[in-house]
Amino acid sequence: MADTTIRPMLELEVAVEPAIVIGAGAAGLAVAQALIKAGVPTAILEKERRLAEPWHRRHQQLHLNTHRDLSALPGLVFPEDTPAFPHRNVVIRHMNDFREANQLPVEFGVAVETIVFRGDHWAVRTSAGSRLARHVIVATGRDREPFTPQWKGAQGFAGRIIHSADFGDAKSYAGKKVLIVGAGNSGFDALNHLARVDTAALWLSARNGPALLPKRVGKIAVHRLSPLMARLPLRVADAVIAATQRLVFGDLTKFGMPPAPSGGASRLTADYTAIAADDGAVAAIKSGKIVVVPAIREFTRDGVILADGSLIDPDIVIAATGYRTGLERMVGDLGVLDGKGVPLFNGGDADPKLPGLWFTGMRPSIRGCFANAAILGKAIARRIAGASHLPAGSR
């Protein structure tokens, strides 16, 4: 009883802020900038001690799969000498430059624990105490928590099992037998790098085939066509992606790749599966350097039994099995998450029963996360501030 009576009394002493953004990633920075430009005073709470912490933790070989011209935060361009697909360190610098250029008030080291609806405002309970706000924008990211399946027998496996988030230096895999599990965006990112390393063996285990596009066709960066693709009906976008994939790569089922369960744009929308980018992995599959094998059935001490009963003996298993939002602890009791923990609404959409609660950057976009961050940020600012000069968001 004390918890439900004392906390609201303490909250009465706290001023109600116009807007609080939770998370200072690309989506959080973009929506905060849009709100402040629209005249809405905004605080930004970031649990880490520095900006772009997830980017700092990713492997040194990482480059964006999205083109620099469609990956800049609003009003800030990359330096002229930036490669078409910027390196991780360039992205980190870009995010810091954006924060400084817009004088965004990021409060570091403040972790949000729960959000509670108070009828006409929200109580945001943090590691630094309670805050109140009319509007709360959750921008903690869809890749917040790496997800690794609980495979049968995995605990007794003598080798290493890591998530693709901990991929590290590709050169460290030289001479090792490596199994990549998952043919999505993360899986192909790891394969693209490992295809250039002298591994002892390299397998790809895939339950489903990917929607897969090359980074370039000739001298054309494929991602530059994404704004056009985003405006197409899903069935048309599916057909274009499938036709491009078949034209560039041929029939990958001949090399053991299972067929994709549905079109690339449809999967992106329905189950948030990002479109993978090839940068050498397909050539390695066709040459036999990467061997496509069936899904995992179970682990033994010395190896992995596959769905067809065959056994392989990797030294390292890389689980490219996706991420979770980790939002259950924060908003799980509000009825705003689907079965995968993804918010039911995103960007300028909201639940009328929970006025003032917004989410951004929680679903993949064919445009890429940076371009979509700007679109969704402006859509949210338009709804909150009623600034008619801000364009409405789109998928």
Side-chain angles (χ1 to χ4, degrees):
M1 177 68 74
D3 183 64
T4 59
T5 57
I6 293 175
R7 282 189 176 180
M9 289 176 64
L10 293 175
E11 289 167 3
L12 290 175
E13 302 173 6
V14 180
V16 179
E17 303 173 57
I20 291 177
V21 174
I22 304 172
L29 294 176
V31 72
Q33 185 224 34
L35 284 165
I36 291 169
K37 286 182 68 176
V40 181
T42 302
I44 310 163
L45 308 183
E46 170 54 53
K47 70 173 184 176
E48 304 293 351
R49 298 289 178 178
R50 60 180 174 177
L51 211 62
E53 184 62 36
W55 290 92
H56 282 282
R57 293 174 183 166
R58 296 296 176 88
H59 61 85
Q60 274 288 346
Q61 299 89 189
L62 183 65
H63 285 74
L64 288 179
N65 287 333
T66 55
H67 194 275
R68 65 176 179 233
D69 293 346
L70 296 172
S71 302
L73 288 165
L76 184 68
V77 298
F78 285 101
E80 289 185 4
D81 60 348
T82 301
F85 300 98
H87 184 263
R88 180 199 75 163
N89 293 346
V90 176
V91 174
I92 292 171
R93 185 167 63 248
H94 181 76
M95 292 176 68
N96 279 281
D97 289 347
F98 182 79
R99 177 205 167 201
E100 293 174 11
N102 291 280
Q103 298 182 325
L104 298 178
V106 181
E107 300 176 37
F108 291 102
V110 181
V112 173
E113 297 160 358
T114 59
I115 305 170
V116 181
F117 189 39
R118 293 294 184 214
D120 63 348
H121 66 274
W122 292 85
V124 181
R125 295 171 180 167
T126 82
S127 57
S130 286
R131 307 274 287 265
L132 305 181
R134 297 291 178 197
H135 295 274
V136 174
I137 304 94
V138 181
T140 49
R142 64 187 183 88
D143 295 348
R144 190 180 183 192
E145 295 183 354
F147 171 75
T148 301
Q150 298 298 308
W151 288 299
K152 181 181 178 181
Q155 290 186 340
F157 179 55
R160 292 173 58 209
I161 301 175
I162 65 171
H163 192 272
S164 56
D166 302 314
F167 179 72
D169 185 355
K171 294 178 182 178
S172 68
Y173 296 90
K176 304 291 186 182
K177 292 178 284 186
V178 185
L179 169 64
I180 307 288
V181 184
N185 191 43
S186 297
F188 265 84
D189 176 65
L191 290 168
N192 289 333
H193 296 297
L194 292 175
R196 303 181 179 93
V197 176
D198 187 18
T199 56
L202 188 53
W203 297 282
L204 166 63
S205 172
R207 289 186 304 169
N208 298 310
L212 180 65
L213 292 173
K215 280 195 168 183
R216 295 182 182 275
V217 175
K219 294 184 178 182
I220 300 173
V222 172
H223 180 250
R224 300 199 72 167
L225 303 175
S226 65
L228 172 63
M229 294 289 292
R231 290 192 290 268
L232 296 175
L234 284 180
R235 67 181 185 280
V236 178
D238 285 342
V240 171
I241 292 168
T244 303
Q245 180 172 335
R246 184 66 177 254
L247 179 66
V248 174
F249 303 124
D251 182 6
L252 294 180
T253 63
K254 294 179 179 179
F255 301 91
M257 189 74 75
S262 59
S266 292
R267 290 184 72 189
L268 191 75
T269 302
D271 61 13
Y272 322 123
T273 301
I275 298 168
D278 174 67
D279 193 20
V282 170
I285 290 171
K286 291 181 176 181
S287 72
K289 177 177 174 58
I290 298 172
V291 178
V292 181
V293 297
I296 291 176
R297 191 172 82 192
E298 63 183 286
F299 281 76
T300 68
R301 181 186 179 281
D302 300 314
V304 177
I305 301 175
L306 303 172
D308 63 356
S310 60
L311 177 70
I312 57 175
D313 58 341
D315 302 308
I316 304 171
V317 176
I318 301 175
T321 45
Y323 297 80
R324 298 293 185 265
T325 66
L327 287 174
E328 288 82 2
R329 293 182 296 277
M330 187 187 298
V331 297
D333 60 348
L334 296 176
V336 295
L337 305 178
D338 68 12
K340 293 186 175 182
V342 177
L344 296 171
F345 48 93
N346 195 44
D349 297 326
D351 185 341
K353 299 188 297 296
L354 298 169
L357 180 62
W358 311 87
F359 295 91
T360 183
M362 293 297 174
R363 300 174 188 173
S365 165
I366 203 165
R367 292 183 174 91
C369 65
F370 285 87
N372 208 43
I375 292 169
L376 298 182
K378 290 176 181 178
I380 292 171
R382 178 177 180 270
R383 291 290 306 276
I384 292 176
S388 59
H389 62 283
L390 291 173
S394 57
R395 69 175 172 85

